[in-house]
Amino acid sequence: MSRERVLATALEIVDDGGAEALTMRGLARELGCNAMALYRYAESRDALVDSLVESVMADLVTTPGATDWTAELRRVAHRFRALAVAHPRMVPLLVTRPLATPLGLRPLGTLRPLEVLLDLLVDAGFSPADALHVYRAYFGFLYGHVLTELQEVVADPDESDALLRLGLHRLPRSEFPRVRALADELATYDGVTELDQGLDILLAGLQRQLRYAD
């Protein structure tokens, strides 16, 4: 048994049943070991969850020495979306888990994107304080996007009638005329396109801010 195998199995459990399905006993059962053996790798369930978040965030790799800050932010955003789509039941942990731990006490792997992107933004010309504001706005947008995209997933993609597929036929026509009218657009949600459109708006504003700062 290894830390990598423990975390890979923990991720499978979350992927299948959500974070609430992850217990030390259940994980031990999947690994075929005694629950006490797991405490070599995590001192508690909370520590296990932190390590799991860290291992998933480790896949959010950044390009060492990247100089095109807009291209790098766009690339990281698409990588983050890919992680969220691959592991949708991890998203609540990725978005909310940091709130449970003070910044300096979080697993180092969860802080590396912050350090690397701050470096990228400062090198691009943002002040350190502005770089932090950009990082917060950027990840706030990413968190909101992936949560929105996952909510758009429908149970029966083969159903031809968008109103029926999304259950919009249940909405009173007089109270929700605009939502009902957008049934086709809502039913054909394209996460990649929506992400790029949002990034276009965000990055254009940041480029203007950087020009004015000069």
Side-chain angles (χ1 to χ4, degrees):
M1 196 160 65
S2 65
R3 182 176 185 273
E4 289 72 21
R5 184 183 170 209
V6 169
L7 293 177
T9 305
L11 180 57
E12 290 175 3
I13 290 173
V14 173
D15 282 345
D16 289 341
E20 63 277 4
L22 180 61
T23 65
M24 299 297 267
R25 283 187 179 181
L27 178 58
R29 188 165 52 250
E30 289 295 321
L31 290 166
C33 69
N34 187 290
M36 294 302 295
L38 294 178
Y39 290 94
R40 294 176 54 193
Y41 305 97
E43 62 186 20
S44 65
R45 182 185 180 279
D46 282 345
L48 175 65
V49 171
D50 283 340
S51 294
L52 183 56
V53 170
E54 181 180 32
S55 70
V56 172
M57 289 295 285
D59 286 337
L60 193 65
V61 292
T62 52
T63 307
T67 55
D68 187 337
W69 64 276
T70 59
E72 185 66 3
L73 290 183
R74 193 177 292 275
R75 194 192 64 76
V76 170
H78 279 276
R79 182 59 187 152
F80 185 78
R81 175 190 171 271
L83 287 173
V85 171
H87 306 288
R89 288 178 168 169
M90 274 297 299
V91 170
L93 291 177
L94 296 178
V95 172
T96 65
R97 186 66 190 171
L99 299 177
T101 310
L103 190 65
L105 299 181
R106 296 174 195 170
L108 296 183
T110 63
L111 294 176
R112 287 197 178 94
L114 170 60
E115 182 69 20
V116 173
L117 291 180
L118 286 176
D119 247 353
L120 176 74
L121 293 165
V122 170
D123 288 346
F126 291 96
S127 71
D130 283 345
L132 179 58
H133 296 319
V134 171
Y135 177 88
R136 287 170 175 163
Y138 173 70
F139 267 94
F141 163 70
L142 289 185
Y143 290 158
H145 172 83
V146 296
L147 289 171
T148 298
E149 179 170 357
L150 294 177
Q151 288 173 0
E152 296 285 348
V153 176
V154 294
D156 186 4
D158 295 325
E159 170 61 58
S160 59
D161 190 319
L163 278 171
L164 291 175
R165 174 151 48 113
L166 296 176
L168 298 182
H169 63 291
R170 298 177 180 274
L171 298 180
R173 190 183 302 271
S174 60
E175 295 181 42
F176 297 95
R178 294 193 185 278
V179 174
R180 287 176 59 100
L182 287 169
D184 288 337
E185 286 75 11
L186 289 168
T188 56
Y189 186 94
D190 184 329
V192 173
T193 299
E194 294 286 340
L195 178 60
D196 276 325
Q197 289 176 344
L199 286 169
D200 288 344
I201 295 169
L202 178 63
L203 295 177
L206 292 176
Q207 286 173 314
R208 284 196 300 272
Q209 177 184 337
L210 197 56
R211 284 198 300 269
Y212 292 150
D214 294 338

